[in-house]
Amino acid sequence: MDASIIIINWNTRDLLLQCIDSIYKTQRDLLFEILVVDNGSSDDSVAAVKSQFPHVILIENKKNLGFSKANNQALSQMNGRYAALLNSDAILTDGAVETIIRFMDENNKIGICGGQLLNGDGTKQNSIANIPTLATELLNKSLLRRLFPKKYLGKDHDFKYPVEVESIIGACMIVRKEAMDNVGLMDEDYFLFFEETDWCVRMRKKGWMIFHHPDAKIYHLQGQSAGKVNVRARIEYWKSRYIFFRTHYGSFIVGVLIAGLFARLSISYFLVSCLAFGSLLTNKKAVEKLKLYTKIFLWHMKGFPAGYGLRDDRK
């Protein structure tokens, strides 16, 4: 078995079916299996997959276990030499997975490789990520890319060949089974966000390389699942960011991060409040941002309690 293609689904029925369909339409020479882990969807996703794609292996969870834990369920029973982790809102183009696997077969020290993510109109998305630091989290990422383009690689780079990177965006990532056996599976402390970044860090510490392959194209209709519950999803982002820093940095760095981010949040909260109330709450965009910042602000003020995000408990 060349590849075990793994998709985590949570209430994205139509996108999921589109994703699976793209796999069957674009793979020519690979021997592969598809595993779908459903995280307690209520939109008939499971029934639709069983009806339209009966050969897909389904793992049905009664509730949303999160991205890492659901992936680990499938990774624990995969049969492929590689795992291809796909978001349910990803659509493969011809030969995308084969291109990456062929490249990884020729370079046996590559643990993870991702392709070029595209918007629906074909324009490029950021597919490469830097390992989070105080600079990336407290300063403007777009500004960092403009000031230090060789360090902070963005979508404006026109890569002609595969390039070694610090980390990749996990909407489509191919992972070597041998590297997983060496490093371990995803850290289940991460419910959503930062789990692939953490994996890349752990891979690099064990001597595995992380690559971006520009010739493997994948459409990514991003945020379709998390976007349905934007406030709770954004709090999960903040939770995962703090988990990442607690895991990989000392307490002093974590304290600086929390203080810096809370200061930025407070300023943004004040400015958005002025804009929202200054328009007598007619500015819908400002009102939505005010709701978001209020929730995140209260979550900080209450000491990061459980119940604000997508999961039921907090590590």
Side-chain angles (χ1 to χ4, degrees):
M1 183 76 69
D2 293 310
S4 298
I5 303 176
I6 298 169
I7 309 167
I8 310 304
N9 177 67
W10 184 57
N11 292 323
T12 59
R13 175 186 177 276
D14 293 339
L15 289 168
L16 173 64
L17 298 177
Q18 190 175 14
C19 178
I20 297 172
D21 186 55
S22 78
I23 297 170
Y24 284 115
K25 285 181 176 177
T26 59
Q27 305 313 308
R28 300 287 181 264
D29 302 319
L30 282 183
L31 180 61
F32 66 91
E33 62 182 356
I34 301 175
L35 299 91
V36 170
V37 184
D38 185 80
N39 264 337
S41 295
S42 57
D43 64 349
D44 296 321
S45 291
V46 170
V49 172
K50 288 179 177 178
S51 173
Q52 297 188 35
F53 302 105
H55 297 297
V56 167
I57 300 167
L58 267 167
I59 300 173
E60 301 177 45
N61 294 323
K62 293 182 179 180
K63 65 178 183 178
N64 190 350
L65 299 182
F67 190 74
S68 295
K69 186 173 288 190
N71 266 306
N72 285 348
Q73 287 179 297
L75 292 169
S76 297
Q77 65 180 63
M78 62 177 280
N79 296 298
R81 297 183 297 117
Y82 295 95
L85 276 58
L86 279 184
N87 281 13
S88 62
D89 56 3
I91 301 173
L92 297 179
T93 65
D94 282 334
V97 173
E98 286 138 311
T99 295
I100 294 177
I101 287 180
R102 192 181 311 117
F103 174 67
M104 294 180 75
D105 278 343
E106 295 169 355
N107 301 272
N108 62 13
K109 290 306 295 178
I110 298 175
I112 297 177
C113 185
Q116 178 59 59
L117 303 176
L118 304 173
N119 295 307
D121 61 3
T123 56
K124 292 196 295 185
Q125 289 180 14
N126 284 322
S127 306
I128 300 167
N130 287 92
I131 301 303
T133 63
L134 289 177
T136 64
E137 302 312 299
L138 297 180
L139 302 177
N140 184 281
K141 290 184 176 68
S142 296
L143 179 61
L144 290 174
R145 293 187 184 109
R146 286 196 296 271
L147 293 177
F148 309 101
K150 293 183 179 180
K151 167 68 174 174
Y152 300 98
L153 302 173
K155 60 186 177 182
D156 293 333
H157 280 74
D158 186 21
F159 295 107
K160 302 298 183 184
Y161 307 100
V163 58
E164 186 176 4
V165 296
E166 294 181 6
S167 179
I168 61 170
I169 305 299
C172 174
M173 57 192 297
I174 313 300
V175 188
R176 189 185 300 272
K177 177 65 163 62
E178 182 186 353
M180 279 187 272
D181 291 340
N182 176 234
V183 174
L185 300 180
M186 286 187 165
D187 187 339
E188 294 182 5
D189 278 359
Y190 300 93
F191 187 88
L192 185 65
F193 303 113
F194 284 85
E195 57 283 305
E196 78 272 32
T197 310
D198 174 85
W199 218 6
C200 287
V201 171
R202 289 161 52 210
M203 290 273 181
R204 285 162 56 89
K205 287 180 178 178
K206 288 281 190 175
W208 297 97
M209 295 187 293
I210 313 300
F211 263 77
H212 164 73
H213 201 309
D215 295 335
K217 304 289 199 298
I218 305 98
Y219 287 97
H220 181 216
L221 311 176
Q222 61 188 119
Q224 297 296 315
S225 180
K228 293 179 179 179
V229 281
N230 181 53
V231 172
R232 296 168 66 199
R234 292 311 298 171
I235 289 179
E236 286 300 340
Y237 180 87
W238 283 69
K239 287 182 180 180
S240 292
R241 177 161 48 182
Y242 289 155
I243 290 170
F244 181 89
F245 272 76
R246 287 203 305 267
T247 301
H248 297 286
Y249 298 100
S251 56
F252 175 76
I253 297 296
V254 174
V256 172
L257 176 75
I258 293 174
L261 287 177
F262 187 71
R264 280 181 50 179
L265 173 65
S266 300
I267 293 170
S268 298
Y269 187 35
F270 172 75
L271 293 175
V272 169
S273 298
C274 292
L275 184 60
F277 287 105
S279 67
L280 300 179
L281 303 180
T282 60
N283 187 326
K284 293 183 179 180
K285 187 175 181 180
V287 170
E288 288 302 312
K289 280 192 174 183
L290 179 59
K291 291 178 181 177
L292 172 63
Y293 289 156
T294 298
K295 279 286 187 180
I296 298 174
F297 188 86
L298 289 174
W299 178 67
H300 280 80
M301 293 298 294
K302 292 181 178 181
F304 316 123
Y308 271 54
L310 295 171
R311 57 183 139 188
D312 296 325
D313 59 348
R314 179 171 64 94
K315 292 287 183 180

